Amino acid sequence: MNYKNKMISVLYAVVIAVCGLGIAGQAAAGSGVSEVRPLLLAAADVSSANIFNRNLKKPKKHNPPPPEDGIHDTSNEATFSLQAPLEAYKGLPKTTFGNRVDWVKAIDQGLIKPRWDRLDSNEEPFVMDLDIVRPVKASVPDVVFPHRQHTEWLFCSNCHPAIFIPQKGANQINMSAILLGKKCGVCHGKVSFPIETKTCKKCHSKPKPKDWKPPLSEATLKNPWK
Amino acid sequence: MALKNERDLGFKSLLLGVLLTLGLFGVSQPAKAEYADVVINNYADAAGMRPAVFPHWFHRIRFRCKVCHADLGFKFKAGGNKITMAKIIDGQFCGACHNGEVAWSVENCAMCHSGIPGTPTHFHGSTLQRLVAPAYRPLDAKKASKK
């Protein structure tokens, strides 16, 4: 009896081995995909309701080529011969706002060499390295305005005196004016980096001293019941 | 109304349908075009020409702001320069470079005049446009371009 049982188990083993070999052979022959496919199907069957941020806005596609950007006419043949932004941005430092290119870094690292003169490629810009600190009444960090990055691109007469009077304390600037396209907003929010929560710290970059306290309003100071 | 319109437009203009629906429900249009693209439509529509589209990104790779905004006298205002083809051919504004010497010349009409007809002059993706006046494109703009 024992011997018979052993024989049967050996027979089973042989059958299983042969089956295994057969499957392995099939897999080796390339038809093994049928073994993997059920796994993939199972993954695809899982509900898409389980993803993160399901109800949030879909991420926008950035830097679309001209025919897909919504302002170029696709019935115009030349639209298709215009360069796509991403083609030009290859290799340039990235950001997460505006054109998604860090233009200042690109120029500092010599990755782009825009002309300072219409015709002469060798003319150097008139760069002035002077930081202006503007104290801010509110608790946000003070503003540091760097002339260097600006004079890399612009000429003095672009800003002075029409937009900013070149005199200490002569310019009243506030965020509402900037958001409405005045003062810094003449460029920032249109061409240069936009005013977004991601970019606050680019200007508001000098932290307040540790003992800083918000200034008390006149009404508070005059309050007889204080 | 919105549903009926979408049915009429069919599969190919599904995108327009989506835009229409968005517009009708008061959702601001998604800003898709490249940041700082300027559409200039001071005179183009009236003259039966597509509005011109100026890509800032392409030009700032080649020139610093100073060249156009200080030397050539472009004001910092979309549509504030009153550019006409007569001035361009005369060598002013775009014509300072687009003369066949620095850049391709004015016979390539459709390279600049490539905007969707009826698009008003605006600065694409500007803060002001996003916060204050988001709806800039008439809903039937695409229909008009098909005629």
Side-chain angles (χ1 to χ4, degrees):
Chain A
M1 290 291 269
N2 243 346
Y3 177 74
K4 212 175 187 179
N5 273 350
K6 262 186 191 173
M7 277 302 284
I8 288 165
S9 60
V10 166
L11 205 72
Y12 274 137
V14 168
V15 169
I16 288 165
V18 167
C19 286
L21 273 175
I23 289 161
Q26 268 189 342
S31 55
V33 184
S34 60
E35 294 295 308
V36 184
R37 200 167 264 162
L39 278 175
L40 283 175
L41 272 176
D45 283 344
V46 175
S47 167
S48 62
N50 299 339
I51 57 164
F52 279 101
N53 305 339
R54 182 171 56 99
N55 285 336
L56 291 187
K57 265 190 192 168
K58 298 281 174 297
K60 267 190 281 179
K61 262 182 99 182
H62 299 287
N63 316 107
E68 293 163 27
D69 70 359
I71 58 171
H72 282 92
D73 193 349
T74 45
S75 65
N76 171 28
E77 269 179 44
T79 295
F80 294 88
S81 55
L82 294 171
Q83 194 178 79
L86 280 180
E87 200 182 320
Y89 297 169
K90 208 180 164 196
L92 297 181
K94 284 177 187 161
T95 57
T96 51
F97 40 79
N99 292 122
R100 322 220 125 216
V101 172
D102 194 329
W103 294 109
V104 170
K105 227 184 232 172
I107 218 170
D108 281 348
Q109 296 175 359
L111 300 171
I112 54 169
K113 291 181 188 67
R115 283 186 189 171
W116 178 252
D117 183 79
R118 185 169 59 92
L119 303 169
D120 187 2
S121 294
N122 298 318
E123 199 162 316
E124 289 292 313
F126 173 68
V127 178
M128 181 170 86
D129 197 356
L130 170 69
D131 285 355
I132 306 286
V133 179
R134 290 186 60 91
V136 180
K137 278 186 214 145
S139 61
V140 286
D142 289 343
V143 170
V144 178
F145 170 82
H147 268 98
R148 187 188 70 78
Q149 284 89 322
H150 289 83
T151 47
E152 286 274 4
W153 294 97
L154 292 151
F155 197 63
C156 317
S157 65
N158 283 134
C159 307
H160 303 304
I163 303 170
F164 299 105
I165 302 161
Q167 187 193 325
K168 195 182 174 187
N171 299 287
Q172 286 286 321
I173 306 177
N174 58 61
M175 286 315 294
S176 323
I178 295 173
L179 288 167
L180 288 171
K182 309 278 181 227
K183 300 290 174 188
C184 318
V186 169
C187 298
H188 288 285
K190 288 184 189 159
V191 191
S192 37
F193 71 75
I195 322 293
E196 293 176 5
T197 39
K198 290 170 197 164
T199 56
C200 300
K201 282 184 173 174
K202 283 177 89 75
C203 301
H204 291 274
S205 55
K206 194 187 171 209
K208 292 271 200 280
K210 265 185 188 165
D211 56 342
W212 184 86
K213 276 183 190 141
L216 296 173
S217 72
E218 211 157 292
T220 308
L221 292 171
K222 283 181 184 168
N223 181 2
W225 296 284
K226 190 167 59 173
Chain B
M1 269 300 277
L3 277 171
K4 200 189 169 193
N5 270 350
E6 274 175 53
R7 260 181 227 144
D8 290 345
L9 287 166
F11 181 71
K12 275 188 181 175
S13 46
L14 188 71
L15 186 75
L16 176 68
V18 169
L19 284 175
L20 265 174
T21 322
L22 280 176
L24 285 167
F25 283 109
V27 180
S28 71
Q29 232 179 284
K32 277 199 300 176
E34 190 61 17
Y35 181 66
D37 275 3
V38 186
V39 177
I40 305 166
N41 196 355
N42 288 339
Y43 314 111
D45 256 1
M49 200 66 193
R50 291 185 182 92
V53 180
F54 173 80
H56 257 112
W57 62 269
F58 184 92
H59 290 82
R60 73 182 298 173
I61 292 172
R62 287 154 183 84
F63 295 97
R64 308 201 188 213
C65 319
K66 175 251 184 194
V67 176
C68 298
H69 290 294
D71 297 354
L72 300 182
F74 279 94
K75 284 180 191 152
F76 292 131
K77 179 149 182 50
N81 293 294
K82 310 267 182 260
I83 306 168
T84 60
M85 284 315 294
K87 288 180 191 169
I88 292 174
I89 292 162
D90 198 31
Q92 298 176 48
F93 296 114
C94 322
C97 293
H98 286 281
N99 52 10
E101 288 166 30
V102 182
W104 44 261
S105 99
V106 288
E107 64 260 20
N108 300 297
C109 313
M111 296 285 272
C112 296
H113 290 278
S114 57
I116 295 170
T119 313
T121 300
H122 74 281
F123 221 109
H124 195 89
S126 71
T127 313
L128 191 66
Q129 200 216 319
R130 280 189 297 145
L131 296 179
V132 184
Y136 55 84
R137 193 175 142 194
L139 292 174
D140 54 350
K142 201 153 187 183
K143 272 187 204 162
S145 72
K146 275 182 183 168
K147 277 174 197 169

